[in-house]
């Protein structure tokens, strides 16, 4: 069980919503509005062109407006959270919150609309009149039974997806958990004996979805505050009556006797320990009342040790959290311009979530669990909301189901390309990494992971190999390495392990290294000790003598120490200089920054070499390099010693006749802002610089950290360039994803590849 999170204080929550700007959402323009020309295009007279086009063909509204990525979050405030009917305006913080989640998790623009109308027919008519201006409608916090009628009627009246999340979101996440709970306990959905307690919107939706997924109606019992909903009752509305069963049982306690599964969407304390004890072996218990569940996990543990438990709370394992559903369901629906969200799409979403929970979790999930790394099992049957793969995992299932069921107006031809595009929506590194991975996949490059006993390195090596990016080799003592493989859930025979001291190549490596270092003060025994005990040296020898194609190290030793080790074995490529380069990726810009970690104060020749190396790497990543030598001065003003070195570097490139654009020395704003060319019309850069050569390591380090922390950019690296063979050194304590990325870079070697010109 995870540690409890701290209770949210009311004053803290109020301050969060109030400061520094009231509310949680704002509007951002997607087009520049900097010139008179921009204004003319955005409004009069330019706006007339799309108006006429849409009038002639209404479907063009998706091409020329934001409709296709816009969702309305609508409520009348009659059932706000667990607080009841507090009015439309009181629901606004919740609706704004929903809009924020749409944007944060699925890059969907959402607008909250609070309708001051409790009459169902009037509410329907109001939404009908403006509904089609959006790509979809998310209904929220509307009390039952009006919520059923409102959703059903709006689905009939509007030609866009209409989705009541309180019903279907909860149902989809619950169903995903039930799929996995059945697998763990060896049950089939068709045989599952289910009890749903709570006959409101969510409870009925959960039961309907489970039946659609195969639960036998004869094995499904719905209960409300009066007990079992059976055919003998005369107080049932049409939605409850649809699930009435013929039975002599009357109470919730009787319903739970022998049941395999119970789902609570009712009130705190509805389940007792005696009820839970009466359930079948390995009971599945989803107690989802908020803020307090029908029964707590501690109370269940006190009476049973074989239960699989889920709640609606984030401070217990297996949280049924609707944010796992609605953003990604709408993402898939919008991307195929679906006319509705049907049962097939909901079932597809449930299966997608169930499948994702079985995958090895990334570092982002482990961080959310305070460093613990959950694995598929009784305590992890539902994915974490912080799993970054949700955006590329769930929508394709939903989109495919929409296409297969005939409600998609814009089918997706290439689902693989669609998955990649989804990953890029929230992660600016995705496009670059996908190109790199695509280039190395299937090439069989052998990458040695020098610190092979480390759990993070083992997981990175396994991820590298599982993604078919190459063959991983772990260097380490076999007993410790295998023990840690078991610890992190990696099959012991999945990755090759090499023990440096016991390797049959040990003496060959020692012979080679002694011959290389004997005139640098090393005795034979010194060299043998290095090969036996220093995994960086041993791993570098593997690469140098052809037993591997690249090396990744650095997670347990300082960067400088790891670099010194590797340099004992591997040289710079002929005519090249070893440098470090970082790649900073923002949403609309990619910058290559060098030298970030090797030469502290480069002279003019070194600066010229750095520019050549970095430009070659940028070209290898598919960019057209435009190099700027950065300084505090611009073209000699003000003068200074470092600026003179940069000017000399430019002169050197002039003499060499390189095949890329370069200019300097210049301040960073001149390098990146095209408008400064009006002040400096002689500049040789045809556009904003994308390769930034720094005057010294300290400025490079400061710049990359500012971009990451202050500017919100994602920074890859630093990566090493210039070695004769692929070498990458991670930072101390690097994450699994960082190590895997560097391994892919070692397999790729950007100075020797080109992946085609990328959009800049």
């Amino acid at each position: 069980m995870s540690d409890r999170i701290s209770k949210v204080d009311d004053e803290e929550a109020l301050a969060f919503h109030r400061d520094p700007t009231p509310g949680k959402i704002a509007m951002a323009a997607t087009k520049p509005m900097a010139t008179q020309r921009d204004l003319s295009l955005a409004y009069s007279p330019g706006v007339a062109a799309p108006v006429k086009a849409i009038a002639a063909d209404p479907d063009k509204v998706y091409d020329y407006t934001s409709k296709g990525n816009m969702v309305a979050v609508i409520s009348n405030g009659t059932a706000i959270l667990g607080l009841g009917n507090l009015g439309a305006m009181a629901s606004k913080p919740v609706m704004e919150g929903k809009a924020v989640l749409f944007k944060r998790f699925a890059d969907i623009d959402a607008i909250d609309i609070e309708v001051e109308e409790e009459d169902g027919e009037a509410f329907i008519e109001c939404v009908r009149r403006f509904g089609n201006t959006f790509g979809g409608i998310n209904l929220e916090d509307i009390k039952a039974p009006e919520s059923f009628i409102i959703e059903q009627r709006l689905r009939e009246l509007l030609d866009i997806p209409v989705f009541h999340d309180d019903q279907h979101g909860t149902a989809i996440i619950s169903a995903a958990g039930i799929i996995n709970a059945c697998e763990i306990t060896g049950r089939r959905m068709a045989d599952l004996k289910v009890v749903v307690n709570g006959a409101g919107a969510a409870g009925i939706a959960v039961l309907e979805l489970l039946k659609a997924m195969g639960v036998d109606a004869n094995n499904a019992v719905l209960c409300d505050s009066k007990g079992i909903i059976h055919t003998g009752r005369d107080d049932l509305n049409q939605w409850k009556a649809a699930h009435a069963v013929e039975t002599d049982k009357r109470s919730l306690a009787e319903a739970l006797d022998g049941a395999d599964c119970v789902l609570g969407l009712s009130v705190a304390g509805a389940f007792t320990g005696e009820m839970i004890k009466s359930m079948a072996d390995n009971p599945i218990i989803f107690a989802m009342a908020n803020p307090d569940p029908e029964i707590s996990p501690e109370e269940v543990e006190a009476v049973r040790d074989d239960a699989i438990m889920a709640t609606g709370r984030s401070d217990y394992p297996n949280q049924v959290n609707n944010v796992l559903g609605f953003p990604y369901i709408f993402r898939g629906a919008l991307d195929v311009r679906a006319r509705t969200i049907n049962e097939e799409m909901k079932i597809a979403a449930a299966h997608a979530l169930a499948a994702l929970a079985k995958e090895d979790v990334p570092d982002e999930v482990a961080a959310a669990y305070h460093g613990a790394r959950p694995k598929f099992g009784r305590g992890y049957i539902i994915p974490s909301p912080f799993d970054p793969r949700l955006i590329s995992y769930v929508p394709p299932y939903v989109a495919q189901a929409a296409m297969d069921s005939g409600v998609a107006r814009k089918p997706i031809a290439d689902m693989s390309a669609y998955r990649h595009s989804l990953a890029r929506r929230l992660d600016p590194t995705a496009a670059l990494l996908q190109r790199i991975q695509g280039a190395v996949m299937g090439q069989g490059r052998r990458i040695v992971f020098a610190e092979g006993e480390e759990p993070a390195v083992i997981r990175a090596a396994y991820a590298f190999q599982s993604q078919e990016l190459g063959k991983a080799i772990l260097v380490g003592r076999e007993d410790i390495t295998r023990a840690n493989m078991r610890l992190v859930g990696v099959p012991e025979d999945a990755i090759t392990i090499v023990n440096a001291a016991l390797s049959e190549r040990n003496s060959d490596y020692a012979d080679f290294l002694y011959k290389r270092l004997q005139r640098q003060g090393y005795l034979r025994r010194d060299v043998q000790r290095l090969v036996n005990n220093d995994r960086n040296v041993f791993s570098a020898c593997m690469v140098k003598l052809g037993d591997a194609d690249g090396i990744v190290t650095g997670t347990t030793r300082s960067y400088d120490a790891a670099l010194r080790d590797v340099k004992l074995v591997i040289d710079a490529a002929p005519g090249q200089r070893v440098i470090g380069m970082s790649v900073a990726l923002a949403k609309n810009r990619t910058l290559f920054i060098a030298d970030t970690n090797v030469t502290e104060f480069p002279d003019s020749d070194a600066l010229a070499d750095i520019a050549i190396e970095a430009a070659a790497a940028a070209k290898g990543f598919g960019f057209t390099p435009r190099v700027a030598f950065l300084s505090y001065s611009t073209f000699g003003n003000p003068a200074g010693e470092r600026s003179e070195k940069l000017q000399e570097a430019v002169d050197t490139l002039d003499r060499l006749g390189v095949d890329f654009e370069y200019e300097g020395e210049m301040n960073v704003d001149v390098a990146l802002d095209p408008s400064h060319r009006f002040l400096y019309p002689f500049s040789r850069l045809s556009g904003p610089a994308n390769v930034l050569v720094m005057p010294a390591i300290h400025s490079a380090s400061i710049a990359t950290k500012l971009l990451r922390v202050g500017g919100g950019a994602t920074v890859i690296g630093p990566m090493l360039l210039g070695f004769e063979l692929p070498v990458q050194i991670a930072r101390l304590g690097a994450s699994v994803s960082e190590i895997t990325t560097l391994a892919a870079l070692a397999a790729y070697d950007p100075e020797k590849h080109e992946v085609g010109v990328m959009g800049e």
Side-chain angles (χ1 to χ4, degrees), residues 415-666:
M415 198 58 73
S416 177
Y418 174 54
R419 268 189 209 93
H420 290 324
S421 72
L422 288 167
R424 292 195 295 270
R425 292 194 81 108
L426 297 178
D427 181 3
T429 68
L432 183 62
L433 295 180
Q434 286 163 6
R435 283 173 173 260
I436 293 168
Q437 291 169 356
V440 304
M441 195 172 290
Q443 297 299 308
R445 303 277 287 175
R446 301 161 300 170
I447 302 301
V448 55
F449 293 75
E451 298 148 313
E453 295 177 0
E454 297 300 310
V457 174
I458 292 170
R459 294 185 64 250
Y462 186 61
F464 175 80
Q465 191 163 283
S466 299
Q467 294 170 31
E468 300 182 357
L469 301 177
K471 176 179 172 56
I473 303 170
L474 295 172
V475 173
R477 291 163 291 185
E478 285 200 21
D479 55 343
I480 296 175
T481 303
R482 292 191 187 282
N484 284 333
M485 291 173 81
R486 291 193 295 272
L487 179 68
V488 299
V490 171
E492 292 181 46
D493 59 351
I495 309 173
T496 299
I497 303 170
V498 176
N499 185 320
L502 303 179
S503 169
E504 61 183 19
R505 294 281 278 158
N506 182 286
S507 60
D508 296 329
Y509 295 165
D511 290 344
F512 159 77
L513 196 59
Y514 180 56
K515 184 176 181 180
R516 176 179 169 85
L517 300 179
Q518 60 190 356
R519 295 184 180 275
Q520 298 179 37
Y522 286 83
L523 301 176
R524 173 73 193 204
R525 63 173 177 265
D526 299 328
V527 168
Q528 187 65 63
R529 190 179 301 113
L530 284 173
V531 172
N532 287 350
N533 300 325
D534 194 308
R535 290 166 196 166
N536 289 335
V537 171
F538 180 86
S539 300
C541 286
M542 290 183 68
V543 176
K544 182 69 174 181
L545 296 188
D547 297 321
D549 300 306
I551 176 176
V552 177
T553 186
T555 61
T556 62
R557 300 187 67 182
S558 71
Y559 198 99
D560 289 344
L563 184 59
R564 285 195 301 271
D565 290 344
V566 172
K567 282 183 172 181
L568 291 174
V569 183
I570 300 175
D571 295 319
Q576 292 185 254
R577 180 185 302 270
V578 175
I579 70 165
M581 184 182 76
S582 294
V583 187
L585 300 104
K587 194 144 190 176
N588 299 308
R589 191 191 298 262
T590 300
L591 298 174
F592 300 88
I593 303 171
D595 175 8
T596 53
N597 58 322
V598 178
T599 308
E600 185 173 4
F601 285 102
D603 60 21
S604 59
D605 288 340
L607 287 164
D609 290 343
I610 291 167
I612 292 169
E613 294 280 341
K619 189 177 293 185
F621 284 124
F623 289 77
T624 301
R626 292 186 293 274
V627 177
F629 290 89
L630 295 189
S631 174
Y632 63 90
S633 63
T634 298
F635 300 124
N637 183 27
E641 181 183 353
R642 293 309 298 169
S643 60
E644 290 175 2
K645 300 291 185 187
L646 295 163
Q647 292 165 7
E648 292 168 5
V650 172
D651 293 340
T652 299
L653 295 186
D654 288 343
R655 292 194 301 272
L656 292 174
V658 296
D659 62 350
F660 56 84
E661 294 181 17
Y662 57 92
E663 189 56 280
E665 89 292 8
M666 58 176 60

Side-chain angles (χ1 to χ4, degrees), residues 141 351 365 378 523 623 666 699 727 730:
D141 288 357
H351 280 290
V365 174
R378 291 172 178 266
L523 301 176
F623 289 77
M666 58 176 60
S699 54
V727 175

Side-chain angles (χ1 to χ4, degrees), residues 282-295:
N282 294 302
I284 302 166
I285 304 163
F286 281 32
M288 295 177 282
N290 266 323
D292 298 311
E294 285 82 359
I295 188 168

